[in-house]
Amino acid sequence: MREQVVRISEDATGQRDLFLCHAWDDRKGAALELHDLLTELEVSVWFSEMDVPLGTSLIRKIDKGLAASRAGIVLVTPALFASLNSDGIASQELSALLATDRVIPIVHGTTFEELRKVSPLLAARSGLTTSDYASLDEVAAKIADTVVVDGE
């Protein structure tokens, strides 16, 4: 993943480090916390709560956000499972991210085994589970180490 991010950063300017895919119900909880922790670590994150102005097309802004991001993280929670099962917007984001080799699942409040039942392709990607770390801060630091390119 790191090599791909470095290669993409050499070819593109003005891109975000990450696109944060999450369930709508997580936007004011775990997704916002992860966004804030990453931005404190100087990771540029596309996050719908911050990047979609009122009155604009959510789908079009998401499409542009996906195109303008070097990599994506998927915050996998029970709420995301519900969104994927109902073919919500997160399902479209996930489909676009899975078409790349630049997606990292972050499992939070559930397990990779549960993820495998809902999205075997995402579960097959190398990722992190927050239960392996003392805090979400540590997870954010690990992500930042992977996606921040020196010299930016």
Side-chain angles (χ1 to χ4, degrees):
M1 169 68 76
R2 173 124 179 102
E3 291 83 18
Q4 291 171 344
V5 169
V6 169
R7 183 177 37 79
I8 291 166
S9 71
E10 291 169 350
D11 296 335
T13 58
Q15 286 199 323
R16 302 282 180 100
D17 295 316
L18 289 173
F19 180 96
L20 175 53
C21 173
H22 61 89
W24 178 255
D25 290 346
D26 290 328
R27 74 190 186 287
K28 299 221 184 265
L32 178 60
E33 182 181 359
L34 184 57
H35 167 271
D36 291 349
L37 290 168
L38 288 166
T39 55
E40 287 172 14
L41 294 169
E42 299 184 14
V43 177
S44 60
V45 181
W46 192 96
F47 180 50
S48 58
E49 286 299 295
M50 308 295 178
D51 290 290
V52 179
L54 292 175
T56 60
S57 168
L58 178 62
I59 295 297
R60 188 63 191 124
K61 289 292 185 182
I62 288 170
D63 194 38
K64 288 181 177 182
L66 285 163
S69 299
R70 292 185 191 119
I73 54 175
V74 180
L75 182 61
V76 180
T77 64
L80 182 75
F81 293 155
S83 180
L84 294 177
N85 287 333
S86 67
D87 288 327
I89 290 173
S91 182
Q92 294 174 38
E93 293 173 350
L94 178 59
S95 293
L97 288 169
L98 285 172
T100 73
D101 286 331
R102 304 180 326 255
V103 60
I104 304 168
I106 308 299
V107 176
H108 182 67
T110 188
T111 64
F112 268 97
E113 291 75 28
E114 290 301 313
L115 174 58
R116 202 167 284 107
K117 294 175 188 175
V118 177
S119 178
L121 290 173
L122 183 59
R125 305 292 175 113
S126 178
L128 303 171
T129 180
T130 58
S131 65
D132 288 345
Y133 296 86
S135 68
L136 204 50
D137 295 50
E138 290 182 16
V139 172
K142 182 83 171 165
I143 295 167
D145 286 345
T146 301
V147 300
V148 173
V149 178
D150 298 332
E152 287 190 85

